[in-house]
Amino acid sequence: MAAEIRAFPCLSDNFGYLIHDPETGATASVDAPEAAPIIRQLDAEGWQLTDILITHHHHDHVGGVAELKQTYGCRVVAPHDRTTGIAAVDQRVAHGDIVKVGNLLARVLETPGHTLDHISYVFDSEKALFAADTLFSIGCGRVFEGTYPMMWDSLLKLRALPDDFRLYCGHEYTASNVKFALTVEPDNEALKARAEEVTRLRAAGQPTIPSLLGHEKKANVFLRADDPAVAIKLHMKGASPEQVFAELRERKNKS
Ligand SMILES: [Zn+2]
């Protein structure tokens, strides 16, 4: 039986995610922005929370952990970086570790840059990538704690995943990301198609997530900082991918 994934809004623009293994009944929440909507979703499905898989220490990703842990006695899995104060952690994971959710297997990728502790979870059999605040649809996270080369390297790890994987990211930022991306690449056909789709989805009150990684590779300029055409668009012909990425990210910060 295939895994079931649910996406739902939390806080102002975060996503809550549940992934459920029908064979064992195990259910993981990827991050826990706040407890109430996660509990509501679990109740609606008749699922018991067994695990929380944390991506990074920011409050809008861990704010619900303590209450969920108390309510369900679930296991809390978190990045190995102990410098941050994530409460109630049972298991620390690092690059290449495998986390079991019932019979589902999640592979841990270290994707630092937004924060130094940031990890992403890849469910290979389910073709699902939970990238939190490293990779957004048509954008990427702000670089708060790491460096631009570090963040670019993290994006390359995610870009290396197959085209038919689905991206589940931490925030509903797609419309604002599309608006910025069009200022850099007004003629990118894949981006224009995504822009139309996002307008339609948002008008209907629908989330823009998940998106296909293959589409992101074409439409998301932050994944193409090593494309000479992008450097030329920024008047940076011959610049390194790290320099191009930094310029893109700084322009987005100011947009
Ligand atoms: Zn964050």
Side-chain angles (χ1 to χ4, degrees):
M1 279 190 288
E4 294 182 52
I5 298 175
R6 298 287 182 271
F8 48 95
C10 286
L11 301 173
S12 57
D13 51 32
N14 282 73
F15 283 111
Y17 291 118
L18 294 176
I19 180 162
H20 175 74
D21 174 21
E23 277 176 30
T24 62
T27 305
S29 178
V30 181
D31 284 331
E34 56 175 337
I38 296 171
I39 293 171
R40 257 199 316 274
Q41 191 75 30
L42 286 161
D43 288 348
E45 304 289 351
W47 295 345
Q48 268 298 109
L49 191 68
T50 52
D51 305 277
I52 301 173
L53 311 183
I54 296 171
T55 60
H56 67 296
H57 69 88
H58 281 163
H59 187 72
D60 62 323
H61 292 257
V62 301
V65 170
E67 186 179 341
L68 291 170
K69 171 97 180 163
Q70 192 162 26
T71 306
Y72 297 96
C74 53
R75 175 182 61 155
V76 178
V77 178
H80 72 103
D81 184 333
R82 292 165 186 275
T83 57
T84 57
I86 304 173
V89 176
D90 298 297
Q91 189 181 340
R92 300 272 176 181
V93 290
H95 198 78
D97 284 352
I98 303 288
V99 181
K100 283 190 81 173
V101 176
N103 291 334
L104 309 178
L105 302 179
R107 190 158 53 90
V108 175
L109 298 182
E110 283 179 12
T111 50
H114 175 71
T115 61
L116 291 176
D117 69 342
H118 198 296
I119 59 176
S120 299
Y121 294 93
V122 182
F123 289 79
D124 286 291
S125 296
E126 288 67 35
K127 300 179 190 286
L129 162 64
F130 292 90
D133 293 358
T134 297
L135 176 63
F136 296 127
S137 180
I138 318 297
C140 73
R142 268 181 192 259
V143 179
F144 285 122
E145 296 178 8
T147 63
Y148 290 123
M150 183 190 280
M151 186 70 162
W152 170 242
D153 189 59
S154 293
L155 292 176
L156 288 179
K157 288 180 195 167
L158 302 183
R159 193 178 73 176
L161 294 167
D163 287 356
D164 61 348
F165 276 40
R166 285 190 160 74
L167 168 67
Y168 297 88
C169 59
H171 291 268
E172 180 60 88
Y173 288 162
T174 317
S176 132
N177 289 339
V178 162
K179 197 172 155 206
F180 168 75
L182 282 169
T183 67
V184 182
E185 296 193 295
D187 302 322
N188 179 326
E189 292 301 325
L191 175 59
K192 287 197 279 184
R194 179 66 167 146
E196 279 177 27
E197 180 183 46
V198 167
T199 303
R200 184 166 46 75
L201 287 169
R202 298 309 289 155
Q206 298 289 314
T208 62
I209 296 303
S211 77
L212 265 184
L213 211 48
H215 292 162
E216 292 296 325
K217 291 178 197 179
K218 291 190 189 126
N220 187 338
V221 72
F222 289 94
L223 289 178
R224 294 191 353 273
D226 54 352
D227 179 343
V230 173
I232 288 167
K233 286 245 176 348
L234 299 173
H235 308 291
M236 295 178 74
K237 191 168 182 236
S240 70
E242 290 80 4
Q243 289 169 320
V244 171
F245 173 72
E247 175 66 19
L248 283 170
R249 190 55 257 184
E250 290 194 352
R251 284 190 189 200
K252 176 68 171 77
N253 291 350
K254 291 178 204 136
S255 73

